[in-house]
Amino acid sequence: MHHRITVGSLVGAVALSTLMIPATAQADDSSGDIQITDVVVNGAKDIVLGTTDVKTFTIAVTATDDSGIKVGDTFPVLWHTRFPNGDSYGLVIPENIAGQCVSQDSTTTTCTYTLKMSPRIHPQDNTTAGTWTVGAHVLANDGDYLTKDSAAKAKVLRNSRLTVNASPEPVKKNKTITVTGALTRANWETYKYAGYTKQPVKLQFKKKGTVATDNKGNLKTTTKATADGYFRYSFAGTSTTPAIASAADYADVK
């Protein structure tokens, strides 16, 4: 069962002290000269989800103001789609809204938050694979504040798997060897891995060219066996699925 998570439903359930996230906030809101200077999601790496495991990641927000940043009142959220009424589709909030804050000097502070994303709750369906948005709110000691609906972007991708098998083994020199495999990726609707069809995958140890997955995500090609070595497939990734290389399969040429 899919669960729609919205800003409006969560604000009522979580005590945000002086920080409030309006359900209708679709535009930036600010007062004074406070600025968000940096937002880093998951250490600048993509968030990759499979079908079962919960992914733990961080969002670090750096803000600056001449009066200093009020610790405990910075708050990031990760969301995918904003509805006309202001609610968010696929919303992830920090486990601890206080975060871990470190002052760089009297004006600048970085607050880091831990978030958890479940492939069975937050993506809600496969269409949400790709680019997500970070919203952030910061408050200064003198009352200046800034709420940015889109403070940064992050990639949330469907995990991929890639296999390879070269046969027959052993094979006589200059005879044909067949290299098979399969490229699959997580399906956030069935919670299973399914073939990623019609995708170019490189066969490494072959002089040139690529092999395309069939309508089930399977791979197959033939080449001449000229020397002992290892075969593997390499997938460059797409906007919704990360790059991956298979384990290497050894071919013994007699």
Side-chain angles (χ1 to χ4, degrees), residues 106-173:
S106 61
T107 63
T108 304
T109 297
T110 298
C111 292
T112 302
Y113 297 84
T114 298
L115 299 88
K116 290 187 176 180
M117 198 171 194
S118 170
R120 302 200 173 199
I121 298 176
H122 299 101
Q124 307 201 33
D125 57 53
N126 293 324
T127 65
T128 60
T131 301
W132 287 50
T133 301
V134 178
H137 173 90
V138 291
L139 181 66
N141 290 324
D142 62 2
D144 291 353
Y145 66 88
L146 172 60
T147 300
K148 289 185 70 69
D149 197 52
S150 180
K153 299 293 184 180
K155 291 285 189 179
V156 180
L157 306 180
R158 297 163 63 181
N159 190 44
S160 54
R161 294 174 175 173
L162 185 57
T163 62
V164 66
N165 181 58
S167 64
E169 300 174 46
V171 61
K172 291 183 178 180
K173 187 174 182 179

Side-chain angles (χ1 to χ4, degrees), residues 4-6 23-24 26 79 81-90:
R4 177 167 295 172
I5 303 174
T6 66
T24 57
Q26 295 188 36
W79 57 273
T81 304
R82 188 74 84 200
F83 293 123
N85 68 353
D87 285 344
S88 295
Y89 185 63

Side-chain angles (χ1 to χ4, degrees), residues 40-48 55-60:
V40 179
V41 181
N42 196 35
K45 296 182 292 185
D46 295 337
I47 300 168
V48 180
K55 175 71 175 181
T56 300
F57 62 99
T58 60
I59 297 179

